[in-house]
């Protein structure tokens, strides 16, 4: 900590009115909201404003007002406030996305939209969204309020249209984007807690691949974030096809003005900016619903798994029993919870299965119907029967002659080994299954038991995967 | 900037359920006040810039990095630190599962990590792995590679749902 | 008390405590916030210290001026002239000053120390000391250092060289069907323990120096202070406080910061605390040695290595510190887990004008193993066989002779490890699937493999030289206390050593304690490094425990005693005889021969073996590489504590992923520019894949209960596995790490192999 607290004054007037009065008298007071930028400079010994006035949590600045034609977000709304607002989530998803990728949860709980605007980092996370939405700012001082277009607010690197004694009061977003598709992406050095190397916010309105309107705003590739006006111009009214994507890439790549710095290179930023434009246009092309944002990454722990993790042991075991038929297996896997993703679930299934004994294996085998027969096994759960039917569908579709051959081979197997033939049938043709059966008929009892167990292990995996996806 | 321009003042808040008053410069960091003035050394300084999360505490129920909070802004708030998480001498369920699953190795990130996890479970009682990853992304751990921390948090959620 | 040596194999059959995941000994304090790290400690009258450091890379100090605007009479000021003993941080070559006198050799070199009771006044005071230099030309890269146009250290800029020669390499080239060459480089890496370096020092003219600190090796600090202060052994006391991560970064550096705090304490007569902030810790303390490895290999047409030359060079920064030992380990591991009928390894550690590099988990092996596992892939491409097959055909096996001509006696089966790892990773199915899927779409996926080894303990005669001593004490209340200088910093020292004693004595785990490492209380069991604690110190602790019980049995305790009987026997003994302690000293196992001149012989008592498999996905829109799945399979002797062992692997793999993809030190003129957590990027919880850990156990006779060391092993595999996976995905070789998206972009744009000199700046400013 490289500053001396004794050198700094911080006052907390507690109301907007009092803050403005203070600023009117002595404009050198530096407003501080959540402190996620100012306190970093302070700790580094680089805060040059020794007098600070707190605007944290002022009720007048920390509300979201909803009007028919616009919403006004108080400048001291935190990123968490934005994420928790349903009107922002529904109507201004670019901003909701930007809020979710700013810092970690702790910094989202303190960082504010107004702070992001006046800190004016070229890589500021929320500014491209505000540019894409054509936001206005309401500025306030003891003298009164005025309204300016956000796109006119930043004049250059860290210079802006804020007069002495003035604060941002609200950010106004027009409610005119119903039907627009959105695409937001931040490219940083890692997936969380990263300063943007390129920050992209795009809105588009297209029908039958013709672009009716397009808005592309981009950050971290110039001293201030900006709209790619030239790229937008060559896109409006055009049909989205590969030549247009190429043209858009080239135009965007020339429009951005990135630099080399400690985080990245100009060449990389320019190329990625162009790629993001192309990716955005690709999503416009897709006849998907408006929630199609950036390429979705499937959650490796689906809701189903999360809920299953929370069940009591009995319930959890019952739920997965149809996947394998062995109660020891089901309870064994349930005992391994919490299982965080599909890979862990399948690994647990294998480990438990391999640790069981013959009686448990036999119990599992007995839960299957004989291959090629449609008669359900008595007492088997309905889900198990349904999966069996699915796995054996190739067999079920065979000719009568093939089915007769399979039935005969099955009976021979049962005479020899005293139980039905188990094989993971998914994807196998009846001829393949028959050949496998005939080969396995040559096995001795011990080897055949191991082989059947191995097949059952695979069946359990397949069924667990289906269960997760259901 | 040679002469002091601030006076120490009294700032009152509640810490771990106890009403507390400190006398401090308004721009003292909440982290330093907790550690030095109140002897609550569970919150740690790992980076001083809100990146590592080892200073995390709960302020009016919200997870914050105490190295970035000027103490004057904490007037009137309810603060919970790791020392206040457990009731009496029994452990909070997260403390139990962190112990059981190896989620604490060197322990320096642990207080902040547990508070971040507690904050998550309060908001999302049945978190998915993606929820857990996101909730803890502001708490850096250099020892564990996070795997055992994820398990500890998921198990804590399970125990709370089905004790 | 009788001193017992290690005798043969004392592996007990029953495993109730060893082999189970007992609660971490100090875990409760850690999860409740009660654990006391050095910055949590306050001593009465304590003041705070800070360091004035060089702003240039190399030059002479001409003048030191103090800003008249600061009230200097309130400050304690220490310069090199205040040092009572030798102005050196004693380690190996003793070339590093504790405080610079006339010359500086790297940015951030400590010159002056200040202390004040108000820590907030120190940053301004540090700024208030201005130093006038006469700058000298500086050297920043391995290549510049080798050129020797400017001599910055010794006579030739070279801290150390090794030459390993096995067989007749020069004769092999004519027999080769292929000669495969390659160059591979790795960058510096910051340990990034979440607790910064810190110490508190006290000085008393009568009692001497006392240090409390975040450190790995209390006796290293002890030794360094003896010569700095010219004090006898009993006048220096070093105590380790709870340590928030170390990874080698607190192996030798604490001797420096402890010396500084102690000098200020001596001058002021007050206790002095120095705790670095993150920026200072990052730019001023040690990092992993950057490396450059060149391979030239003779290969037969059926893919067998006939022999070759390996040239291994590391950049040690401005002073020698531990470079010779890092070089040693890197050299011995340079051949990987492969059979080299003949080989010549030339290794050197060179000086540059950067802050000295030092220990970081793996200690030279991650560097040379990265090169080997990249090179084996190149060999495979030249020969036209899969790299899996090439590995199989060259793997070491029981009875093989290593590059240092150590015959491997333990049972081992690398081929089987490879098969098991590939199976767990789903390698074959995924390879087929990715080959098809990569033809379409903007994400390219690939699988990569790394096979490797890691020797546990100090090299060759190192353990004999360390001559470790441990103690075990039976206390009046019947509990048993372990006395070792081995430190806990998250890896589980306390827990595992207590498990070993509990198991050995048949006592409950809860009855075993371990003393806080304090040089006035515990003997020197050697440094907590080199993955030696469980294997070597654990074995000694076991032996001492056996000795303790023997003493009690000599006094009548039954061999089949219950815990209560043991307690009673302890109580009786202490009441009648006084303290009950048994010590055990290291004895080199018979048949261990090491020739330090020829660098030949039994390098390590045991090796752990591993195969790691990485699955990556490269996003061609952003060129970012994401690791999707990771399998870490290793054969480690015996797993004494499953949860702790798994935690060591997942943590090491995470650091290895950082080494490969995220952790780049940006240098300018020998100074680290990105010395903040915002700009030095380590993986968060949102960045890592599921890390799936598997152990195989083939008990080893040397280690306690058959265990081999595992702490550093996981650092060796991830980076080459990931580089191999990226090459598989993109068809572009990755021969230099870290590899950032910007590098992937450039490689795809130019379609050239990435092998830029590691010390050349990649980003202009």
């Amino acid at each position: 900590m490289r500053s001396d607290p004794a050198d700094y004054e911080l006052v907390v007037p507690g109301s907007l009115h009092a803050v403005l009065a203070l600023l009117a008298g002595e404009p050198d007071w530096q407003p501080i909201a959540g402190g996620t930028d100012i306190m970093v400079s302070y700790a580094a010994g680089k805060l040059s404003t020794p007098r600070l006035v707190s605007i944290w949590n002022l009720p007048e600045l920390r509300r979201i007002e909803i009007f028919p034609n616009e919403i006004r977000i108080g400048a001291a709304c935190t990123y968490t406030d934005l994420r928790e607002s349903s009107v922002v989530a529904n109507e201004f998803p670019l901003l909701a996305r930007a809020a979710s990728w700013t810092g970690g949860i702790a910094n989202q709980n303190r960082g504010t939209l107004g702070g992001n605007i006046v800190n004016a980092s070229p890589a500021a996370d929320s500014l491209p969204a505000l540019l894409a939405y054509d936001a206005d700012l309401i500025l306030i001082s003891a003298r009164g309020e005025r309204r300016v277009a956000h796109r006119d607010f930043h004049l250059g690197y860290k210079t802006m249209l804020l007069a002495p004694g003035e604060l941002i009061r609200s950010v106004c977003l027009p409610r005119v984007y119903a039907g627009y598709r959105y695409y937001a992406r931040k490219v940083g050095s890692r997936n969380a807690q990263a300063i943007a190397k390129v920050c992209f916010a795009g809105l588009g309105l297209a029908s039958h691949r013709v672009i009716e309107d397009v808005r592309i705003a981009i950050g971290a590739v110039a001293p201030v974030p900006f709209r790619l006006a030239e790229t937008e111009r060559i896109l409006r009214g055009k049909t989205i096809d590969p030549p247009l994507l190429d043209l858009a890439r080239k135009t965007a790549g020339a429009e951005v003005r990135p630099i080399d710095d400690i985080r990245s290179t100009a060449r990389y930023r320019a190329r990625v900016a162009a790629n993001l434009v192309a990716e955005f246009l690709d999503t416009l092309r897709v006849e998907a619903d408006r929630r199609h944002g950036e390429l979705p990454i499937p959650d490796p722990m689906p809701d189903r798994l999360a809920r299953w993790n929370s069940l009591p042991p009995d319930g959890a075991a019952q739920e997965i029993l149809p996947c394998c038929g062995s109660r020891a297996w089901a309870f064994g896997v349930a005992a391994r919870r919490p299982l965080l993703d599909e890979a862990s679930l399948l690994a647990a299934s294998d480990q438990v299965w391999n640790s069981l004994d013959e009686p448990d294996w036999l119990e599992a085998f007995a839960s299957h119907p004989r291959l090629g027969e449609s008669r359900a096994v008595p007492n088997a759960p309905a889900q198990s029967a349904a999966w069996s039917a699915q796995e054996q569908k190739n067999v079920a579709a065979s000719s009568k002659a093939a089915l007769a051959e399979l039935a005969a081979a099955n009976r021979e197997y049962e005479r020899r080994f005293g139980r039905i033939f188990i094989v993971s049938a998914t994807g196998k043709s009846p001829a393949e299954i028959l050949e496998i059966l005939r080969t396995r008929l040559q096995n001795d009892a011990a080897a055949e038991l191991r082989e059947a167990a191995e097949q059952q292990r695979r069946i359990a995996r397949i069924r667990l995967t289906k269960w997760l996806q259901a | 900037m040679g002469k002091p321009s601030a006076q120490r003042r009294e700032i009152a808040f509640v810490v771990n359920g106890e009403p507390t008053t400190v006398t401090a410069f308004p721009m003292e960091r909440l982290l330093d006040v907790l550690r030095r003035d109140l002897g609550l050394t569970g919150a740690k300084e790992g980076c001083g810039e809100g990146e590592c999360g080892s200073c995390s505490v709960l302020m009016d129920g919200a997870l914050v990095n105490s190295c970035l909070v000027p103490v004057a802004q904490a007037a009137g708030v309810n603060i919970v630190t790791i020392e206040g998480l457990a009731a009496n001498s029994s452990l909070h369920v997260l403390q139990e599962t962190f112990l059981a699953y190896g989620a604490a190795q060197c322990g320096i990130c642990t207080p902040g990590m547990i508070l971040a996890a507690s904050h998550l479970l309060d908001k999302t009682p049945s978190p998915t792995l993606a929820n857990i990853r996101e909730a803890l992304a502001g708490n850096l751990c250099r020892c564990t590679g996070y795997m055992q921390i994820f398990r500890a948090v998921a198990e804590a959620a399970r125990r709370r749902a089905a004790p | 008390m009788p001193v017992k040596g290690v005798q043969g194999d004392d592996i007990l059959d029953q495993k109730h405590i060893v082999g189970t995941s007992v609660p971490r000994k100090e875990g409760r304090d850690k999860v409740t916030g009660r654990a006391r790290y050095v910055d949590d400690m306050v001593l009465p009258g304590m003041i705070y210290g800070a360091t004035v450091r060089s702003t240039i890379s190399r030059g002479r100090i001409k003048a030191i001026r103090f800003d008249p605007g600061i009230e200097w009479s309130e400050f304690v000021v220490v310069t090199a002239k205040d040092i009572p003993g030798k102005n050196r941080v004693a380690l190996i070559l003793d070339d590093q000053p504790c405080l610079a006198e006339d010359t500086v050799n790297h940015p951030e070199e400590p010159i002056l120390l200040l202390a004040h009771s108000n820590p907030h006044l120190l940053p301004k005071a540090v700024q208030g000391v201005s130093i006038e230099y006469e700058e000298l030309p500086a050297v920043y890269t391995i290549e510049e250092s080798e050129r020797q146009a400017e001599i910055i250290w010794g006579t030739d800029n070279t801290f150390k060289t090794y030459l390993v020669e096995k067989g007749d390499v020069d004769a092999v080239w004519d027999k080769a069907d292929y000669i495969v060459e390659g160059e591979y480089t790795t960058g510096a890496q910051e340990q990034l323990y979440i607790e910064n370096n810190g110490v508190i020092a006290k000085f008393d003219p009568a009692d001497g120096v006392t240090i409390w600190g975040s450190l790995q090796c209390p006796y290293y600090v002890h030794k360094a202070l003896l010569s700095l202060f010219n004090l006898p052994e009993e006048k220096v006391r070093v105590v380790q406080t709870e340590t928030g991560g170390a990874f080698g970064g607190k192996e030798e550096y604490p001797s420096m910061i402890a010396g500084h705090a102690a000098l200020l304490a001596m001058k002021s007569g007050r206790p002095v605390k120095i705790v670095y902030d993150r920026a200072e810790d990052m730019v001023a303390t040690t990092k992993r040695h950057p490396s450059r490895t060149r391979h030239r290999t003779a290969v037969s047409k059926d893919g067998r290595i006939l022999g070759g030359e390996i040239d291994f060079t590391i950049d040690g920064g401005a002073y020698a510190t531990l470079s010779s030992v890092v070089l040693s380990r890197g050299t011995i591991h340079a051949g990987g887990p492969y059979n080299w009928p003949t080989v010549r390894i030339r290794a050197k550690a060179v000086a540059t004008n950067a802050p000295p590099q030092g220990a970081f988990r793996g200690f030279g092996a991650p560097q040379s193993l990265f090169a080997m596992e990249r090179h084996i892939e190149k060999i495979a491409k030249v020969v036209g066989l899969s790299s899996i097959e090439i590995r199989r055909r060259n793997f070491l096996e029981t009875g093989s002779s290593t590059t240092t001509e150590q015959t491997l006696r333990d049972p081992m089966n690398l081929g089987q490890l490879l098969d098991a790892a590939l199976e767990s990773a789903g390698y074959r199915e995924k390879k087929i699937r990715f080959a098809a899927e990569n033809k379409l779409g903007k994400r390219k996926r690939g699988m990569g493999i790394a096979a490797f080894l890691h020797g546990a303990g100090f090299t060759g005669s190192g353990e004999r030289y360390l001559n470790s001593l441990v103690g075990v004490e039976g206390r009046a209340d019947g509990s048993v206390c372990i006395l070792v200088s081995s430190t806990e910093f998250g890896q589980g020292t306390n827990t595992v050593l207590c498990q070993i004693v509990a198991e050995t004595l048949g006592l409950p785990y809860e009855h075993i304690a371990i003393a806080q490492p304090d040089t006035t209380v515990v003997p020197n069991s050697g440094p907590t490094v080199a993955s030696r604690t469980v294997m070597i110190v654990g074995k000694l602790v076991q032996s001492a425990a056996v000795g303790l019980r023997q003493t009690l049995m000599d006094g009548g305790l039954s061999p089949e005693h219950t815990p209560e009987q043991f307690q009673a026997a302890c109580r009786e003994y202490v009441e009648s005889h006084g303290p009950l302690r048994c010590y055990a000293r290291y004895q080199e196992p018979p048949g261990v021969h090491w020739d330090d001149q020829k660098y030949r012989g039994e390098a390590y008592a045991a090796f752990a073996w591993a195969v790691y498999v990485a699955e990556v996905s490269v996003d061609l829109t952003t060129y970012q590489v994401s690791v999707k799945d990771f399998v870490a399979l290793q054969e480690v002797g015996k797993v004494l504590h499953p949860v702790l062992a798994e935690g060591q692997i997942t943590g090491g793999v995470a650091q290895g992923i950082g080494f490969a993809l995220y952790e780049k030190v940006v240098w300018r003129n020998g100074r680290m520019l990105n010395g903040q957590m915002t700009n030095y990027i380590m993986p968060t919880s949102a960045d890592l894949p599921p890390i799936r850990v598997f152990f195989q156990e083939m008990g080893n006779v040397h280690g306690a209960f058959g265990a081999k060391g595992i702490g550093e092993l996981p650092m060796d595999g991830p980076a080459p596995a990931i580089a191999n996976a990226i090459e598989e995905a993109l068809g572009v070789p990755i021969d230099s790490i870290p590899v950032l998206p910007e590098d992937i972009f450039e490689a795809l744009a130019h379609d050239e192999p990435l092998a830029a000199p590691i010390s050349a700046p990649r980003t202009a400013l």
Side-chain angles (χ1 to χ4, degrees), chain C residues 25 470-475 479-486 493-502 511-517 521-523 525 537 540-542 544-545 582:
Chain C
K25 211 31 128 169
V470 313
V472 168
E473 176 166 4
R475 302 199 282 206
S479 66
V480 175
C481 186
I482 301 172
L483 306 170
V484 291
S485 64
S486 305
T493 299
N494 293 348
T495 305
V496 177
L497 294 182
C498 288
Q499 273 180 295
I500 288 171
V501 171
H511 286 197
I512 316 300
I514 179 163
Q516 182 178 24
V521 173
V522 302
S525 58
V537 179
L540 287 176
V541 163
Q542 187 180 23
C582 182

Side-chain angles (χ1 to χ4, degrees), chain A residues 79-108:
Chain A
Y79 297 109
T80 301
D81 295 336
L82 295 177
R83 293 184 74 184
E84 288 177 350
S85 157
S86 45
V87 67
V88 171
N90 293 329
E91 296 186 35
F92 301 100
L94 290 173
L95 187 56
R97 295 305 300 282
S100 75
W101 64 46
T102 304
I105 300 293
N107 289 341
Q108 289 172 20

Side-chain angles (χ1 to χ4, degrees), chain C residues 528-737:
Chain C
T528 315
V529 302
S531 309
R532 63 187 291 275
T533 302
V534 168
M535 193 174 102
I536 295 188
V537 179
K539 186 82 171 179
L540 287 176
V541 163
Q542 187 180 23
S543 183
V546 167
L548 185 79
R549 183 174 54 195
Q550 186 61 52
T551 302
L552 292 177
M553 282 177 6
D554 290 346
L557 179 66
S558 149
E560 283 87 41
H561 62 85
T562 63
E564 294 71 31
Q565 287 169 335
F566 185 95
Q567 255 178 301
C570 269
R571 197 176 306 122
E572 280 162 29
Y573 187 100
V574 173
E575 274 168 18
S576 19
H577 297 99
L580 168 61
R581 293 191 198 113
C582 182
Y583 293 88
R585 189 178 287 286
Y586 179 78
Q587 277 177 11
E588 194 164 51
V592 169
H593 303 296
W594 176 257
D595 183 336
D596 244 347
Q597 301 311 114
K598 300 211 181 78
Y599 239 61
R600 189 183 295 166
E602 267 88 37
Y604 299 100
F607 289 93
W609 306 94
V611 176
Y612 284 5
V613 183
E615 178 192 325
V616 305
S617 170
V618 186
D619 181 337
L620 291 186
T621 301
T622 63
Y623 311 100
Q624 290 166 310
V625 178
S626 162
V627 184
K628 286 300 186 213
D629 188 51
F630 199 96
V631 164
L633 168 64
Q634 44 264 305
E635 192 285 298
V636 299
K638 284 290 182 215
V639 175
L640 302 195
H641 188 299
V643 166
L644 284 182
E646 189 198 15
Q648 284 302 287
I649 304 303
T650 54
V653 167
Q655 289 180 342
I657 292 175
F659 186 39
L661 296 177
Y662 297 99
E663 297 182 40
K664 182 180 177 120
V665 177
V666 178
W667 297 102
R668 177 160 61 182
N669 295 342
R671 197 171 184 284
M672 179 186 189
L673 285 185
N674 55 332
Q676 308 152 264
M677 285 211 182
T678 316
N679 288 324
Y680 181 84
I681 304 299
M682 69 162 263
T684 68
S685 61
D687 296 297
L688 292 174
I691 300 170
R692 303 190 283 126
V693 179
F694 304 90
F695 290 109
Q696 287 190 6
E697 300 176 274
M698 292 184 181
N700 176 272
V701 299
H702 298 297
F705 292 97
K708 301 193 271 197
I710 64 167
E712 294 172 277
L713 174 76
M715 197 77 225
D716 299 331
I722 289 168
N724 291 342
I726 297 172
E727 180 171 28
E728 183 75 11
L730 300 180
V732 166
I734 305 295
D735 294 332
S736 180
I737 51 170

Side-chain angles (χ1 to χ4, degrees), chain A residues 9 42 109-110 193 309, chain B residues 9 27 51 63 73 158:
Chain A
E9 177 59 82
Y42 171 66
N109 284 336
R110 286 275 292 173
Q193 293 253 109
N309 273 322
Chain B
R9 65 181 73 116
M27 275 292 274
E51 282 288 317
L63 188 75
Q73 285 186 342
R158 196 192 68 77

Side-chain angles (χ1 to χ4, degrees), chain C residues 24 47 82 110 215 217 229 244 256 282 293 304 342 402 414 424 428 450 475 497 525 560 607 690 699 749:
Chain C
R24 177 179 277 275
I47 64 177
D82 294 303
L215 44 92
C217 310
F229 282 87
M256 172 74 83
M282 280 225 210
T293 311
R304 275 176 222 284
T342 173
T402 67
L414 282 164
S424 297
R428 278 174 233 285
R475 302 199 282 206
L497 294 182
S525 58
E560 283 87 41
F607 289 93

